Amino acid sequence: MEISELFGLFRASKGVNTDTRTLEPGQIFVALKGETFDGNAYAMKALEAGAAYAIVNEYAEGGDPRLLRFPDTLRTLKELAAWHRQQLEIPVIGLTGTNGKTTTKELIREVLATHFTVAATKGNLNNDIGVPLTVLGIGPDAEIAVVEMGANHPDDISALTWVSQPEYGLITNVGKAHLLGFGSFEGVKKAKGQLYDWLSAHDGQAFVNVDDDNLYEMAVSRPLSIIPYGVAGEDAEILPTSTENPFLRMSIGGETLETKLVGAYNAANVMAALAVGRQFGVPLADGLAAIAAYTPSNNRSQMTRTERNVVIEDAYNANPSSMAAALDNFALLKADCKIAMLGDMRELGEDSVKEHVKILKKLDDCGLTHACLVGDEFKKALEEAGTPDYVKWFATADDLAAALAERPLTGATVLVKGSNSIRMGKVLPTL
């Protein structure tokens, strides 16, 4: 079957799904195969549950004519998404970066939604499965789309731009993350820069934070149309915060913006969203109101006042640049009892111990009462740099959570951050 024929079936369906647990009648089930699962084994179950068709590998069992056989089901999913994208007559904004992708995507969506029907990546479905599903989820009512793209390997962004085919693009920043996959910081820049490469080759435009020397250099080194933004070069200023109100405050265009985002590092994300809104005709006042109303709910730059403590949740992910930024912001907060609970930063390769030692040194400047460090990488760093009196190490987040359950904290201001695989979110219920 040709992709054009499959697209006809898709247009007549209720969409696509790769998980039988959330499958709805009328959808097309795509049987994906991974290291620990094989969706082909669930194809007949999907049809029995009401799937219109099931895209399966050629070896899949069953003779039902609704089984559509292809050599590579993931490749088929991507090709179908790319075909769908080519039929769309709306602007598509591609978004990537080391830190702040999801927060920036959420802010852009909120700003644009004041004037448009927006299709945007749900959560952080930004990988080689999530991006095709996002594109295929862009419905006929959408007037503009925002597609978040993540990368762990050198050619990921190139592959994802082929699927999403953005006309506009934005890289939030570049930092030391996934070095095992990228090899070096230069490798990170090259990989993320593939979004700029796509835009250069297809007469697209890039929103560029000109305050960021790396991004500016990457952009001007290409034949690329640039839409500049930033804090320093615009009528914008980061305003002081306090213990009572630790959220980012800004003065923009003479207007005061009070956000619900913790951390001055979110200023660039705010300016990015406003720049996108401006490009598409959203008045500044509407953009500011949308950002002020936005409340994060994804363990990113999120502050919660529990019955006993104040908790800054940034527990979804961590790398050297995001960890340093979080600690810099935490250092500015004044509180009688400040505790940092940090989990390992993963996928840093041969630089891992060195980068964790840097974080240990930064802890000394945060005015901490205690620090709780989790994971083998922090253990190696402590063995090299020494363990300060205020630092305690735990093998796992479960161990830390158990210790907190045994001796509950009260009256503390706590920062919780770590790579997703460390599962630092497990400590949150104990706080």
Side-chain angles (χ1 to χ4, degrees):
M1 177 178 288
E2 299 293 329
I3 291 297
S4 58
E5 296 177 77
L6 181 59
F7 180 70
L9 299 179
F10 163 74
R11 288 286 295 270
S13 75
K14 299 296 184 181
V16 298
N17 199 322
T18 61
D19 190 339
T20 56
R21 294 169 297 183
T22 59
L23 183 76
E24 297 179 8
Q27 290 185 320
I28 296 176
F29 173 68
V30 182
L32 300 178
K33 187 177 185 302
E35 293 181 2
T36 60
F37 66 92
D38 188 348
N40 291 277
Y42 300 93
M44 292 305 300
K45 178 181 177 181
L47 294 176
E48 292 167 2
Y53 298 93
I55 296 173
V56 297
N57 285 115
E58 293 172 324
Y59 63 79
E61 296 181 357
D64 194 302
R66 294 172 296 171
L67 294 174
L68 309 178
R69 300 178 186 277
F70 290 86
D72 185 334
T73 56
L74 179 56
R75 178 69 183 178
T76 300
L77 178 67
K78 294 176 181 178
E79 290 179 348
L80 179 61
W83 190 282
H84 178 55
R85 167 65 185 99
Q86 291 168 3
Q87 318 310 311
L88 298 172
E89 297 181 353
I90 62 171
V92 173
I93 303 164
L95 177 69
T96 191
T98 301
N99 304 313
K101 293 186 295 296
T102 300
T103 298
T104 302
K105 178 260 302 180
E106 296 283 300
L107 294 176
I108 290 173
R109 184 195 63 199
E110 294 300 310
V111 169
L112 292 176
T114 62
H115 285 254
F116 301 97
T117 300
V118 183
T121 301
K122 294 180 180 178
N124 67 318
L125 295 176
N126 59 21
N127 62 9
D128 59 347
I129 298 172
V131 169
L133 291 176
T134 295
V135 172
L136 288 168
I138 300 175
D141 61 332
E143 297 173 302
I144 193 167
V146 186
V147 180
E148 179 182 337
M149 296 177 287
N152 297 331
H153 303 95
D155 294 324
D156 284 351
I157 297 301
S158 178
L160 296 179
T161 54
W162 178 82
V163 172
S164 58
Q165 302 172 26
E167 295 159 314
Y168 297 86
L170 191 151
I171 303 175
T172 56
N173 48 55
V174 286
K176 294 180 178 179
H178 304 298
L179 296 184
L180 274 176
F182 296 131
S184 66
F185 179 53
E186 288 302 314
V188 174
K189 291 167 63 176
K190 183 177 180 180
K192 302 296 184 183
Q194 289 169 359
L195 176 55
Y196 287 168
D197 292 336
W198 169 272
L199 297 170
S200 297
H202 295 84
D203 297 322
Q205 293 181 282
F207 297 93
V208 178
N209 180 1
V210 294
D211 294 344
D212 188 312
D213 292 339
N214 286 312
L215 293 180
Y216 182 73
E217 179 186 358
M218 289 166 59
V220 298
S221 66
R222 294 166 166 87
L224 180 63
S225 176
I226 295 173
I227 304 169
Y229 71 91
V231 175
E234 300 188 39
D235 186 14
E237 179 186 2
I238 300 173
L239 300 176
T241 57
S242 66
T243 306
E244 292 72 28
N245 180 14
F247 299 116
L248 171 68
R249 304 173 62 245
M250 298 183 70
S251 173
I252 302 174
E255 300 291 331
T256 298
L257 170 65
E258 303 273 356
T259 78
K260 299 180 181 70
L261 299 164
V262 175
Y265 50 85
N266 279 298
N269 303 334
V270 167
M271 298 306 292
L274 292 175
V276 173
R278 182 172 60 221
Q279 176 68 19
F280 291 99
V282 176
L284 176 61
D286 292 347
L288 292 175
I291 293 172
Y294 171 70
T295 300
S297 58
N298 49 19
N299 288 340
R300 294 171 171 89
S301 305
Q302 186 176 339
M303 191 193 79
T304 304
R305 295 183 185 274
T306 72
E307 293 181 358
R308 303 193 315 272
N309 303 290
V310 175
V311 183
I312 298 172
E313 305 174 32
D314 202 357
Y316 182 77
N317 219 335
N319 54 60
S321 53
S322 69
M323 187 75 84
L327 289 174
D328 286 341
N329 184 74
F330 199 49
L332 298 175
L333 295 182
K334 298 186 183 302
D336 293 334
C337 178
K338 289 203 307 185
I339 300 175
M341 298 183 179
L342 310 180
D344 279 352
M345 302 176 290
R346 291 288 180 84
E347 299 183 43
L348 296 180
E350 62 183 19
D351 290 339
S352 184
V353 173
K354 178 178 68 176
E355 295 296 340
H356 283 82
V357 168
K358 288 181 180 179
I359 296 302
L360 294 182
K361 293 178 179 178
K362 186 170 282 289
L363 289 176
D364 291 336
D365 300 324
C366 291
L368 300 177
T369 306
H370 300 291
C372 301
L373 306 180
V374 177
D376 291 338
E377 299 305 302
F378 268 124
K379 182 179 182 181
K380 295 173 188 176
L382 290 168
E383 290 171 349
E384 178 168 317
T387 304
D389 292 338
Y390 66 89
V391 171
K392 189 170 184 179
W393 176 82
F394 297 84
T396 69
D398 285 321
D399 292 339
L400 174 55
L404 291 169
E406 185 176 333
R407 299 182 63 182
L409 275 179
T410 300
T413 299
V414 186
L415 169 66
V416 182
K417 189 168 179 62
S419 284
N420 191 36
S421 58
I422 300 296
R423 302 288 187 261
M424 291 299 292
K426 290 184 176 181
V427 308
L428 296 175
T430 68
L431 300 173

